[in-house]
Amino acid sequence: MDASHDSLRATFWKPALTTGKGPRYLRLAGFIEQSVADGRLRPGDRLPAQRELAAWLGIDFTTVTRAYNRARERNAIEGRGPLGTFVSTPRVALDQVLDLGMNIPPAPAGLFLGEMLQKGIDEVLRHTDASMLMAYQLGDGGMADRQAGALWLAPMLGAVSPSDVLVCPGAQATLAALLLIGTARDETVLCEPIVYPGLHSAARTLGRQLAYVAADDDGMLPDALSAAARDHGARLVYLNPTLQNPTTRTMPERRRRELLAVAETLDLTLIEDDPYWRLAADAPPPLARLAPHRVHYVATLSKCLTPGLRTAYVRLASARQRDNFLNTLHSFALMAPPLMTGLATQWIHNGMADRILDGVKEAAAQRQAIAADILGDAHTPVTQGIHLWHTLPAPWTARELTMAARAEGLAVTPADAFCLNPDAPNAIRISLGGVRDTERLASALKRLRSLLREAPPSLRAAIV
C-alpha cells in the first residue's frame, strides 16, 4: 500500500503506539520498522511530516523526531531534505551476507545507541578540555579512568585499588603485550585445544609457540597442565574460563582452584581473558579473584557493551611488572583513544554502562531463545552470552557447511578456526549479535536450518 495516500494516512498510523513496548518513540520507531519488514511500507513511500504525524497521534513533536531518528539510524527510512522522509531503498550490498560470524554484542534492548553516544560525548566535553581529548596521552589512564576501571572490575574481583588498574586500547593489544613480557621468542604458551583465534594470531606474529592441554567438559585438566608445563618448560598459560569463545563453556569453581594449585606448585602465570563474565548469571569467581598473584586479568568493554569501545581494563599479577608491560604495550599501541576512554569513564561513573549491559543481556537472551526455537536440539542448550556452539549432523562437515552457507548469504565460523588439535570437532560457532535485528536473525537461522536439512553439495552432485 502507498502510505502517502491522504485517505489512508490517519488510519494506517493509528496503531503505531499500541504495539510494542517501551517509550512512545521506541514503539513508533518499531512500528515503522515492522511495517517496512512486512511490506506495508515499501521503498520510496513518503512518510508524513513530523508535525502532521504528531497531531494525528496526539503526541509531542519531539517524540516523533526521536522515532524518525531511531528508524533512520537503523536504515529503515532516509531524509531527502525539503522533499521529506522516505522509506529507504534496500541496501543490497550490505545485506548480501547475514553475519553470524563476527562475535559482537547485540544492540542493547530498549536503548537508542545514537542518542546515548550524543549525550555521553556531550557530557565528556563538558567535563574535559577538548584539546586534551585530541592529544597524546601516554600512561595507564587518568585517575577518573582508573577509578572507572576499578568500579567495572569490582563485581568480578571485589574491591580493586585504582592504582592497580591499567586502561588499555582493547584486549587484543593487551594480550600481545602480556605474551611479550611473559615469554621469550620461541617459548611455548599453554592453552586449551579449542581457543580464541586472537591468541593464534598474536602468538604467530610474535614468534611464540602454542601447545594445547587436554580438556574435558569442565575445561583444562589439572594433571594434563602439570605434564604439559614440565614437557614444554612453559611459564605462561592462557584461559578464557567464563562463557568460553567459542564453546560457551563456563569452568566450575572447583576446576579453577585445581588449576591454580598446579600453577602455584610449578610457578606458572595465567592470562585470564574474561570479556563475558558480566554477561553470565552466577558465574564462578574469576581465577584472578582466587589467586591474584598468579593471574593477569583482562576485561574488555567491546564484547559486553558495544564493539566501538576499544577499552580494556587490566590488573597484573604483580605491580612490579607495570612499567615493563606499559613500555611493551606502547611500542605498538601508543594509547587508548582518549575520546572513547572518556566516554567509557563517563558511562561507568553515571550508571549508563550498567544500563547498556542490562540491555545487551536482555537482547542476548532474546536471541538465544530465537536460536533455540529455530535450531532445536542440535546445539548445546545455552541461555546466556552472545554466541553458541553448534554441532553439525552427518554428513555435513564444518568446512563444507561454511562454504555452503556463504553461497546462501550466511557467514558462520567453522571449528577448525579455533582448534590447535588437528581433530577439530564437527561444529560451527554461530554469533548472534552481528545481525542487525531479531527478524533478520530469525531469517538467517531459518536459512541455516533449511541448509542443514539438505544433503551437502558434494553428495548432491553424486546423485544421478
Side-chain angles (χ1 to χ4, degrees):
M1 85 171 238
D2 183 353
S4 65
H5 194 284
D6 289 343
S7 64
L8 297 178
R9 278 182 169 183
T11 302
F12 178 87
W13 291 98
K14 284 299 182 184
L17 301 182
T18 60
T19 57
K21 62 179 182 178
R24 286 180 169 181
Y25 82 94
L26 288 179
R27 280 184 274 167
L28 177 54
F31 177 81
I32 294 171
E33 293 176 35
Q34 187 58 48
S35 297
V36 172
D38 61 24
R40 287 178 294 160
L41 285 174
R42 299 188 303 246
D45 280 352
R46 184 179 183 277
L47 273 65
Q50 295 176 32
R51 292 192 186 279
E52 187 177 30
L53 183 55
W56 287 346
L57 298 177
I59 58 178
D60 293 337
F61 168 74
T62 54
T63 300
V64 178
T65 299
R66 292 176 72 190
Y68 276 28
N69 285 340
R70 167 80 170 194
R72 187 178 297 111
E73 184 189 62
R74 295 169 70 86
N75 297 320
I77 62 176
E78 59 190 13
R80 299 180 187 172
L83 296 178
T85 302
F86 295 79
V87 176
S88 297
T89 301
R91 302 188 178 189
V92 176
L94 295 179
D95 292 338
Q96 286 180 342
V97 176
L98 291 171
D99 190 0
L100 302 173
M102 181 66 71
N103 215 32
I104 61 175
L111 296 175
F112 179 30
L113 184 59
E115 201 169 84
M116 290 188 300
L117 281 171
Q118 184 174 29
K119 183 178 179 181
I121 290 174
D122 284 347
E123 290 177 353
V124 171
L125 291 172
R126 281 200 300 271
H127 297 124
T128 309
D129 184 346
S131 63
M132 293 297 296
L133 296 172
M134 294 294 107
Y136 287 115
Q137 295 184 16
L138 304 182
D140 53 4
M143 176 54 72
D145 303 323
R146 286 184 280 114
Q147 288 172 337
L151 287 172
W152 185 256
L153 295 178
M156 295 86 99
L157 304 183
V160 179
S161 170
S163 63
D164 291 334
V165 176
L166 307 179
V167 182
C168 300
Q172 185 65 26
T174 299
L175 175 59
L178 290 172
L179 292 179
L180 285 169
I181 69 167
T183 56
R185 188 171 185 84
D186 293 325
E187 192 171 346
T188 297
V189 178
L190 301 178
C191 60
E192 293 182 338
I194 302 175
V195 69
Y196 166 56
L199 181 68
H200 294 216
S201 176
R204 182 172 59 251
T205 301
L206 300 173
R208 271 62 178 170
Q209 306 300 314
L210 294 181
Y212 67 86
V213 179
D216 62 12
D217 289 342
D218 286 340
M220 184 179 284
L221 291 165
D223 289 346
L225 172 61
S226 180
R230 291 187 169 96
D231 288 346
H232 294 281
R235 298 178 293 153
L236 192 64
V237 182
Y238 170 92
L239 289 169
N240 169 205
T242 302
L243 294 178
Q244 194 229 23
N245 180 15
T247 67
T248 74
R249 181 193 62 233
T250 292
M251 184 184 292
E253 182 174 348
R254 177 180 54 81
R255 178 61 57 84
R256 297 178 188 223
R257 292 186 180 276
E258 290 170 347
L259 292 174
L260 288 169
V262 174
E264 194 69 38
T265 299
L266 299 181
D267 193 24
L268 304 177
T269 298
L270 280 62
I271 297 173
E272 184 172 15
D273 188 4
D274 208 16
Y276 307 115
W277 193 94
R278 294 194 63 168
L279 295 177
D282 302 319
L287 296 154
R289 185 161 189 164
L290 301 174
H293 64 293
R294 285 281 157 210
V295 183
H296 299 312
Y297 188 77
V298 183
T300 180
L301 301 181
S302 64
K303 295 296 187 183
C304 57
L305 294 185
T306 183
L309 281 181
R310 306 304 301 166
T311 301
Y313 300 116
V314 178
R315 192 184 71 179
L316 298 175
S318 170
R320 293 193 300 274
Q321 295 174 291
R322 175 183 178 279
D323 290 344
N324 188 19
F325 170 80
L326 289 174
N327 289 337
T328 301
L329 178 66
H330 293 160
S331 69
F332 55 85
L334 195 59
M335 63 181 182
L339 182 58
M340 286 296 99
T341 300
L343 181 61
T345 296
Q346 182 69 32
W347 278 353
I348 291 172
H349 280 297
N350 69 14
M352 179 56 74
D354 285 332
R355 287 184 59 198
I356 297 172
L357 178 66
D358 289 343
V360 168
K361 290 166 70 174
E362 181 182 344
Q366 181 183 15
R367 288 170 180 243
Q368 288 282 359
I370 290 170
D373 181 59
I374 293 172
L375 296 177
D377 297 329
H379 77 281
T380 302
V382 176
T383 57
Q384 303 164 44
I386 60 175
H387 64 277
L388 57 89
W389 188 236
H390 189 94
T391 301
L392 300 180
W396 281 102
T397 66
R399 274 290 164 188
E400 198 164 31
L401 179 67
T402 300
M403 291 186 289
R406 174 64 67 167
E408 292 288 325
L410 303 173
V412 296
T413 310
D416 61 11
F418 305 93
C419 293
L420 298 180
N421 187 335
D423 298 322
N426 192 30
I428 58 172
R429 187 192 70 185
I430 301 174
S431 300
L432 301 175
V435 178
R436 191 179 69 190
D437 53 53
T438 53
E439 291 81 9
R440 294 187 186 204
L441 175 65
S443 175
L445 294 173
K446 287 175 182 176
R447 285 159 66 178
L448 186 62
R449 180 183 63 189
S450 296
L451 193 61
L452 288 169
R453 289 174 176 174
E454 300 175 1
S458 58
L459 292 185
R460 282 181 248 155
I463 297 174
V464 295

